[in-house]
Amino acid sequence: MKNKLIVLLAVLALVAASLACSFGDPTLDNVRTAKDQDGNQPASVFSTSDTVYVLSDLSNGKAGNVVTSKWYAVNVEGIEANLMFDEADITIEDETFNGNVYFYYPPPEGGWPLGSYKVEIYFNGTLVNAVEFSIE
């Protein structure tokens, strides 16, 4: 009987720990660039014809959370330094959400201009991280 009680207490402790993890505050992390929406082809160097994906992992997300991307041309010939050229929001609609959130930017007509770029990722208006990539 004593062993059954110990096993039951251990199981209850594991259940309580997993519930505590699943009900925590929403967090957005692991911001990265890739050549695909799943992040299976991580990259920081792209060709002029590549679509650039920026992914992050959202844990404990909830309806109304907003993830924002701001895209900048940092050092691109013929373009003003640090020019923001795009901004987009994703609003979480699911009651609970755990998974990847991604933005993408296809090559402009004529291809990406060569140079360095940066994407800032915000979560509910707060800067989480910035990732850099280059077009070569």
Side-chain angles (χ1 to χ4, degrees), residues 5-60:
L5 181 61
I6 291 172
V7 170
L8 177 62
L9 290 175
V11 168
L12 288 175
L14 286 172
V15 168
S18 78
L19 286 175
C21 290
S22 66
F23 292 115
D25 290 333
T27 57
L28 188 74
D29 60 7
N30 194 23
V31 179
R32 62 213 182 268
T33 54
K35 293 185 177 186
D36 66 306
Q37 70 185 33
D38 297 319
N40 293 327
Q41 299 176 52
S44 60
V45 177
F46 296 85
S47 76
T48 59
S49 60
D50 285 336
T51 295
V52 177
Y53 292 85
V54 177
L55 301 91
S56 54
D57 299 331
L58 178 57
S59 300
N60 302 315

Side-chain angles (χ1 to χ4, degrees), residues 102-121:
Y102 72 90
F103 297 90
Y104 68 95
Y105 204 91
E109 190 174 318
W112 285 95
L114 301 179
S116 59
Y117 297 81
K118 172 177 76 171
V119 182
E120 295 176 342
I121 300 295

